[in-house]
Amino acid sequence: ARLARRSSAATRAVAAAPASAEARYGRARARLALDDPSGAGLDLDRAVELDPELAPAWALRGTLRGSQGEVDLARSDLGIALELDPDRAAWWQERAVLDLAADDPRAAREAASRALALDPTLRAAWRLRAEAREALGDAEGASADREASRALGR
């Protein structure tokens, strides 16, 4: 019921301000929560069209595209988000996931390293960097990263 109310409120916000990128982004988030990726994708397309500087919309569209197997488009969207707001550790971590999916371990290692520079408590980023290092033949670095991940527990 709460998700339905949130979606309804987001739809009203779009109706009240159809040219608002923020409203479109908000409705996209609500649609994703209601398992409507198609509707969310349309709202995110419109949000970045209305405001190309809205980094969270680019990032969310990248994540959505990645979940749909559109890795190259997802990497592009996340790259734009990170150019606009490079201080988001979670976005760098997601970029590392996409880089590995694209069989680009060098880019994945760099993205995971950027995530860890911003937030060294991201256990998944340690694991991602370990995977990238392993793919690049750096067994010692991969082992150190796996150990750092294990040390975080969680």
Side-chain angles (χ1 to χ4, degrees):
R2 191 174 89 195
L3 286 177
R5 283 193 305 271
R6 185 170 129 197
S7 178
S8 179
T11 296
R12 285 192 307 275
V14 169
S20 168
E22 288 283 347
R24 296 285 179 157
Y25 169 71
R27 187 168 71 178
R29 290 181 48 157
R31 284 179 159 177
L32 283 174
L34 291 171
D35 199 26
D36 178 12
S38 178
L42 293 172
D43 277 334
L44 290 167
D45 290 346
R46 186 69 175 128
V48 298
E49 179 183 311
L50 290 167
D51 183 358
E53 303 289 314
L54 187 59
W58 287 104
L60 187 57
R61 190 171 83 165
T63 300
L64 176 61
R65 284 177 160 177
S67 73
Q68 296 172 331
E70 298 174 341
V71 176
D72 291 337
L73 292 172
R75 289 173 79 195
S76 176
D77 285 350
L78 223 39
I80 293 168
L82 288 163
E83 285 176 24
L84 294 168
D85 188 354
D87 296 329
R88 302 283 189 111
W91 295 356
W92 283 110
Q93 180 175 284
E94 178 67 18
R95 179 60 193 253
V97 168
L98 294 168
D99 290 337
L100 284 171
D103 197 28
D104 190 348
R106 287 190 199 296
R109 181 186 59 195
E110 175 61 26
S113 293
R114 296 283 301 264
L116 291 167
L118 293 165
D119 184 352
T121 68
L122 291 175
R123 188 173 185 213
W126 288 105
R127 288 192 310 265
L128 290 163
R129 192 169 75 174
E131 188 177 337
R133 284 180 160 177
E134 190 75 40
L136 293 168
D138 179 7
E140 187 176 323
S143 179
D145 285 349
R146 280 192 293 277
E147 182 54 40
S149 174
R150 280 191 292 275
L152 288 172
R154 293 189 248 169

